[in-house]
Amino acid sequence: MISCHNGVFTLKTKNTCYLFFRRPSGHLEHFHYGEIIDTDGPDALMQKNEFLPGNAISYSKEDSRLNLENLCLEMSSLGKGDIREPFIGVTLEDGSESLDFLYDHHEIYQGKNDYESLPSSYGSTDEVETLVVTLKDRNSDLKLELFYHVYETVDVITRSSRLINCSDSSVILKRLLSAQIDFPHHHYSMVTFHGAWAREMEKTVQPCQSGKLVNSTLAGVSSNRANPFFMISGRETTEEHGDCYGFNLVYSGNHYSVAEVSPYGKLRVAAGMNPERFSMNLGPGEAFQSPEAVMSYSKEGFTGLSHQMHDFVRRHIVRGQWQWKQRPVLFNSWEASYFKISEKKLSGLAKKAKAVGIELFVLDDGWFGERKNDESSLGDWHVNKKKLPGGLRGLSEKINALGMDFGIWVEPEMVNEDSECYRRHPEWAVRIPEKHHSEGRNQMILDLSRQEVQEYVIDAMRKVFSSGNIRYVKWDMNRIFSDHFSPARFSASGEMDQGSFSYRYILGLYRILETLVAEFPHILFEGCASGGNRFDLGILSYMPQIWASDNTDAISRLSIQEGYSYGYPLSVIGAHVSDCPNHQTLRNVPEKTRYHVACYGLLGYECNLEDASKERLKEIKEEIREYKKWRGVYQFGDFYRIPHPDVKSWMVVDKEKKRAVGSIFQTLMKANRPDLIFRGKGLIPDETYHFYNIPITHNVKTFGSLINTASPVHIRDGSLTQDLIAKFYRLEGEKEDCRIRGSVICHRGVSLKQAFIGTGFNEHVRLFQDFSSRTYYMEAD
Ligand code: GLA
């Protein structure tokens, strides 16, 4: 609900409210974002100014005690005394840069407008309400619109801004952020998710103390270096309690967020497109809209915030036919065969995949042009007939005949120097003519800022997507930007405007995606950029899921997937079971743990099923059967990170709270810590749940020579006898099976069977060595 009384704007969601005030000077003073408060007027909340401290700037003769440097503002600019991080920066025709945006008028309406060429959140007129406050610069003919969209039920408010040049001369826009919140104090921490390839989403907590903390990238994509999602939390905030603010950006290019402590102890948090490597000529009458920033507040700690973000992403970002559809269990050919594919090999894998219950067979890289490694053929999107004589149609028919859907990998934004595409159109590659160019993965980026290149990509992909019964597309992007340049002339005046290249690239990409997604609504698109190098809300506005990381090692995935879970729901996170030793870490992790971890994402298999033993195939078949019964809970339930002193613990509860799944993951075992309690969350306290696990069996080899303490005959570790016994005899694992109240599971926790510590193994003891895991199911009676 949005209202304005006595100059106070109140934006209310179910549990939060956001307040700001139109000061007599025309500046918008930020009052509050957090728990719901009711106020009749501004008096108690307004900043009091009786004198100016020391050498501070006095705003004007008429308002001589107003010091903008020490005021919580809705937006800020340089030149009138506020020297903190500016929200907007413009160079006017005369070269001056002082801006002073003052309230002009406002408008409130149900629903939400689209942002023309940028993706943004969506909702029906019942779900979202909009406030637009229009400000005018005191010294020029620039207008600034501040957009606020209020999603009441999910406790989210989104913001964007639009600069309109109403003057008759051009100006240079140097920055326009999307959201700014000035907190009255700085007793907060900034929580960011930095990382790298194969090491995405490492959570970092830094107290806001003085100066600036920055979360940003210049990779040209939202990047695995610094995900645009971040939080501002109270210093004492935990998973369950305390203040927590979450921010994200519906944009896939360079982003920038800052938490700046002012000399007066206030905290400015601002987020938007990165002003570095950006500038844009804005001719008379032209306007620029900043990407949409997402904000949410919870007093119920990180979990409360995550649930709000998850609901928002699922309901108001992800769209199309797949939004609420359970995602198929897929097989991906990459780690099974890399570039070495043939129809025979793929058919072999497909038969095995079908036999274990896979629903979607995905052909990854290697199928087009002369592609035999990563040095050639990107840009040549025609099938390699030597590898696939029947083409994509032939292969997809074979896959369909087996009873699976067929999907394909593409990397449309790229071109290799060794390709027909580059030989024909070298000018389409992003590089500075006549200058040395730096490549990534032997490839160059196509200049999507140019319409003809967009048309080429749309046309090439249209042909690929229609060349067989293709139901899934993995859209990859495997390098970051280096030498920026486009020969295209962007500005109306015909001047070169290289400063806007990165932004125009992203607009080009969005146009391509918009077109293709509309033309192929039945296709399930999965975004990918060397794993999670472009995991953001812009991509999720077109593709309902993203491949989270090229690292498929389950132990690494514990932190990667947990990192994503703070801001993104499990229904958008691709996660696969792969072979061991793992191809990225060479770590050996039990099959069950690989499966248990991948379930907390969208389960797929990316391993050589042809080489898998009969036992493993049987195990995989059981896993997939089990997952299909529970995937509705995993994909669309409420996810909990459960703090635990000894193990990593996760849980998902369906929205009705009738079915839940919880897991414990052992990283390194600690000797003589036999007792473990599984504590759940989110269940109905007085509901009775059947709590159980699916017992597993153990290989006798796990015990090595220790088996001799129980065996009547001596068994040498590594001997043929041991192999033989292991083949025909397995040890029963422990069983948990009880009926208990939700209150017991959540408030006390279930005392699990004792863990093995070197002695006394039987079928009531949990073998819980390094990298083990267990999953427990909970079903209301
Ligand atoms: C990227 C992706 C991988 C795989 C390869 C193929 O690295 O992230 O999953 O598709 O490209 O070249």
Side-chain angles (χ1 to χ4, degrees):
M1 204 196 62
I2 302 174
S3 61
C4 177
H5 294 296
N6 298 327
V8 180
F9 291 88
T10 304
L11 287 64
K12 264 193 195 151
T13 68
K14 201 169 52 174
N15 299 298
T16 72
C17 84
Y18 187 104
L19 254 66
F20 62 92
F21 171 55
R22 184 183 127 204
R23 284 183 73 98
S25 64
H27 297 100
L28 298 181
E29 179 177 352
H30 178 76
F31 272 174
H32 170 78
Y33 185 29
E35 277 192 69
I36 293 188
I37 55 172
D38 284 305
T39 177
D40 292 330
D43 296 351
L45 302 172
M46 218 174 138
Q47 164 117 352
K48 312 295 183 300
N49 304 309
E50 291 305 320
F51 61 88
L52 275 188
N55 61 0
I57 297 292
S58 147
Y59 170 64
S60 67
K61 287 256 178 328
E62 309 79 60
D63 222 336
S64 63
R65 288 168 299 168
L66 179 59
N67 170 20
L68 293 179
E69 188 186 359
N70 189 23
L71 192 66
C72 290
L73 290 163
E74 280 300 295
M75 60 75 51
S76 62
S77 53
L78 292 174
K80 308 309 287 178
D82 185 1
I83 50 170
R84 293 169 292 175
E85 183 78 31
F87 182 79
I88 185 170
V90 178
T91 308
L92 301 172
E93 203 207 6
D94 61 3
S96 68
E97 296 191 338
S98 278
L99 299 169
D100 189 17
F101 283 99
L102 303 176
Y103 174 89
D104 186 67
H105 64 276
H106 74 270
E107 197 189 341
I108 296 170
Y109 54 89
Q110 286 299 129
K112 174 185 171 293
N113 50 303
D114 278 342
Y115 291 162
E116 289 163 20
S117 35
L118 282 169
S120 66
S121 64
Y122 69 100
S124 67
T125 44
D126 297 337
E127 291 171 319
V128 53
E129 201 182 352
T130 296
L131 161 70
V132 189
V133 183
T134 303
L135 311 169
K136 273 190 178 162
D137 182 32
R138 192 168 165 167
N139 300 319
S140 71
D141 289 321
L142 294 180
K143 251 204 283 183
L144 182 67
E145 293 171 340
L146 300 180
F147 290 82
Y148 299 81
H149 307 290
V150 179
Y151 288 90
E152 192 171 334
T153 48
V154 290
D155 285 314
V156 163
I157 297 174
T158 69
R159 279 188 67 173
S160 163
S161 47
R162 184 161 175 262
L163 180 72
I164 308 150
N165 180 6
C166 302
S167 73
D168 46 20
S169 47
S170 288
V171 298
I172 302 169
L173 175 62
K174 291 165 68 183
R175 66 157 67 201
L176 183 59
L177 298 184
S178 303
Q180 170 181 322
I181 300 188
D182 285 353
F183 293 89
H185 68 82
H186 67 279
H187 300 295
Y188 293 109
S189 293
M190 186 182 201
V191 186
T192 54
F193 296 88
H194 283 84
W197 174 76
R199 193 163 34 77
E200 292 86 350
M201 298 302 280
E202 294 186 331
K203 183 178 160 207
T204 313
V205 183
Q206 297 180 82
C208 304
Q209 261 156 350
S210 57
K212 290 182 185 179
L213 295 173
V214 170
N215 181 55
S216 75
T217 186
L218 289 171
V221 283
S222 49
S223 96
N224 47 26
R225 278 66 163 180
N227 193 275
F229 172 74
F230 70 99
M231 297 184 286
I232 296 290
S233 64
R235 302 260 175 96
E236 313 291 317
T237 295
T238 63
E239 275 294 346
E240 291 168 309
H241 304 288
D243 287 338
C244 188
Y245 297 85
F247 299 87
N248 211 337
L249 195 66
V250 190
Y251 189 62
S252 308
N254 293 333
H255 61 86
Y256 178 79
S257 332
V258 62
E260 179 185 15
V261 179
S262 83
Y264 302 101
K266 294 187 167 70
L267 176 70
R268 169 162 296 171
V269 175
M273 265 172 60
N274 200 329
E276 187 76 30
R277 295 206 97 161
F278 173 78
S279 71
M280 188 151 160
N281 296 334
L282 221 53
E286 287 184 343
F288 180 88
Q289 177 102 37
S290 71
E292 185 182 27
V294 177
M295 319 185 295
S296 189
Y297 163 79
S298 171
K299 64 173 172 155
E300 280 157 15
F302 300 118
T303 303
L305 191 269
S306 293
H307 287 177
Q308 289 163 202
M309 282 292 184
H310 292 182
D311 285 343
F312 174 75
V313 172
R314 281 195 285 237
R315 286 198 216 168
H316 302 297
I317 291 289
V318 172
R319 57 202 86 189
Q321 289 185 8
W322 282 95
Q323 182 179 13
W324 297 110
K325 256 202 218 167
Q326 292 190 6
R327 311 294 159 72
V329 181
L330 66 78
F331 171 84
N332 178 294
S333 68
W334 181 238
E335 288 198 12
S337 43
Y338 292 102
F339 294 102
K340 283 193 197 149
I341 53 159
S342 66
E343 200 159 308
K344 187 163 167 268
K345 166 116 192 158
L346 294 168
S347 302
L349 285 167
K351 279 184 198 133
K352 297 274 182 186
K354 176 62 194 172
V356 293
I358 297 281
E359 297 159 310
L360 166 69
F361 184 89
V362 179
L363 167 58
D364 209 280
D365 200 349
W367 60 268
F368 52 92
E370 298 300 316
R371 188 86 161 163
K372 51 183 182 299
N373 52 34
D374 62 14
E375 287 168 17
S376 84
S377 302
L378 289 172
D380 301 344
W381 297 106
H382 48 80
V383 76
N384 181 316
K385 288 273 180 148
K386 276 179 256 148
K387 293 184 185 183
L388 303 176
L392 292 180
R393 188 163 307 280
L395 183 62
S396 66
E397 279 167 3
K398 277 192 179 168
I399 303 291
N400 292 164
L402 286 170
M404 287 180 293
D405 281 336
F406 177 69
I408 191 138
W409 176 96
V410 289
E411 195 180 354
E413 298 161 65
M414 297 290 160
V415 66
N416 285 115
E417 193 161 346
D418 183 7
S419 69
E420 289 161 30
C421 178
Y422 185 76
R423 283 186 281 274
R424 234 178 299 130
H425 288 290
E427 78 284 4
W428 283 359
V430 177
R431 57 185 305 167
I432 309 171
E434 315 299 326
K435 291 194 179 161
H436 170 253
H437 176 76
S438 300
E439 289 188 358
R441 213 195 187 201
N442 308 305
Q443 60 200 50
M444 286 175 274
I445 303 175
L446 285 171
D447 183 357
L448 300 192
S449 68
R450 297 170 66 171
Q451 190 148 351
E452 65 203 292
V453 184
Q454 295 165 20
E455 295 307 336
Y456 152 77
V457 172
I458 291 171
D459 194 52
M461 289 305 114
R462 188 180 279 140
K463 284 188 185 126
V464 172
F465 301 166
S466 320
S467 63
N469 186 9
I470 290 169
R471 295 273 151 173
Y472 163 102
V473 166
K474 178 175 169 191
W475 184 294
D476 210 339
M477 201 278 188
N478 279 318
R479 60 161 288 186
I480 61 167
F481 284 75
S482 53
D483 307 270
H484 289 210
F485 189 85
S486 171
R489 288 168 189 270
F490 298 126
S491 70
S493 59
E495 284 164 41
M496 297 293 238
D497 191 4
Q498 295 301 331
S500 64
F501 167 72
S502 299
Y503 167 71
R504 308 242 187 209
Y505 178 92
I506 299 293
L507 290 194
L509 170 68
Y510 288 153
R511 183 178 158 244
I512 292 169
L513 294 178
E514 180 92 42
T515 311
L516 291 170
V517 165
E519 272 183 43
F520 298 91
H522 59 282
I523 290 185
L524 170 60
F525 283 89
E526 176 155 350
C528 175
S530 310
N533 198 35
R534 200 165 59 185
F535 201 113
D536 60 65
L537 300 182
I539 293 298
L540 288 173
S541 301
Y542 301 102
M543 314 199 196
Q545 59 192 63
I546 302 178
W547 178 229
S549 176
D550 277 355
N551 188 345
T552 55
D553 168 50
I555 299 305
S556 309
R557 280 282 183 145
L558 286 177
S559 89
I560 295 171
Q561 289 175 210
E562 182 162 292
Y564 283 116
S565 80
Y566 283 90
Y568 304 92
L570 303 193
S571 55
V572 307
I573 301 172
H576 299 171
V577 172
S578 60
D579 283 331
C580 270
N582 175 269
H583 291 194
Q584 293 75 44
T585 60
L586 297 182
R587 187 169 9 226
N588 280 300
V589 173
E591 165 69 31
K592 270 289 163 290
T593 299
R594 287 178 258 162
Y595 161 69
H596 287 154
V597 174
C599 284
Y600 290 87
L602 302 166
L603 179 69
Y605 286 78
E606 189 169 338
C607 47
N608 197 337
L609 292 175
E610 285 210 287
D611 286 354
S613 65
K614 264 200 203 123
E615 293 73 38
R616 182 165 181 226
L617 289 174
K618 189 167 161 255
E619 208 176 343
I620 292 178
K621 191 171 177 178
E622 281 160 17
E623 289 166 3
I624 295 178
R625 195 183 320 122
E626 183 181 302
Y627 177 74
K628 287 177 181 167
K629 283 194 232 148
W630 288 92
R631 72 175 139 188
V633 181
Y634 279 119
Q635 296 181 6
F636 298 107
D638 285 331
F639 174 74
Y640 293 86
R641 297 168 295 268
I642 302 178
H644 197 290
D646 298 315
V647 290
K648 170 81 70 205
S649 184
W650 293 341
M651 180 159 170
V652 203
V653 183
D654 77 340
K655 291 280 180 192
E656 287 73 43
K657 300 180 190 291
K658 295 286 186 193
R659 301 177 81 215
V661 200
S663 301
I664 49 172
F665 301 99
Q666 176 81 281
T667 45
L668 291 184
M669 186 206 188
K670 267 194 200 140
N672 203 3
R673 289 288 287 272
D675 314 315
L676 203 65
I677 290 180
F678 172 81
R679 193 162 87 82
K681 277 193 187 178
L683 300 176
I684 303 168
D686 49 13
E687 181 75 78
T688 303
Y689 293 86
H690 180 199
F691 178 96
Y692 64 97
N693 67 334
I694 295 173
I696 48 172
T697 57
H698 304 292
N699 190 330
V700 290
K701 286 184 176 180
T702 312
F703 290 89
S705 61
L706 191 61
I707 202 79
N708 290 312
T709 56
S711 167
V713 292
H714 186 78
I715 304 167
R716 191 167 53 81
D717 193 21
S719 64
L720 279 176
T721 326
Q722 191 196 38
D723 280 349
L724 213 62
I725 297 173
K727 196 160 174 209
F728 293 108
Y729 179 69
R730 290 189 67 89
L731 298 163
E732 290 295 317
E734 90 288 0
K735 200 188 262 179
E736 305 285 353
D737 198 324
C738 51
R739 290 198 137 68
I740 27 175
R741 291 284 164 89
S743 60
V744 176
I745 301 175
C746 295
H747 302 149
R748 160 41 167 88
V750 183
S751 285
L752 300 173
K753 297 268 167 18
Q754 213 177 359
F756 179 77
I757 48 158
T759 180
F761 178 78
N762 65 30
E763 72 275 19
H764 302 299
V765 170
R766 191 179 63 260
L767 259 198
F768 208 49
Q769 67 275 40
D770 291 354
F771 314 138
S772 296
S773 60
R774 290 292 186 279
T775 285
Y776 303 106
Y777 299 94
M778 286 148 266
E779 290 181 84
D781 275 345

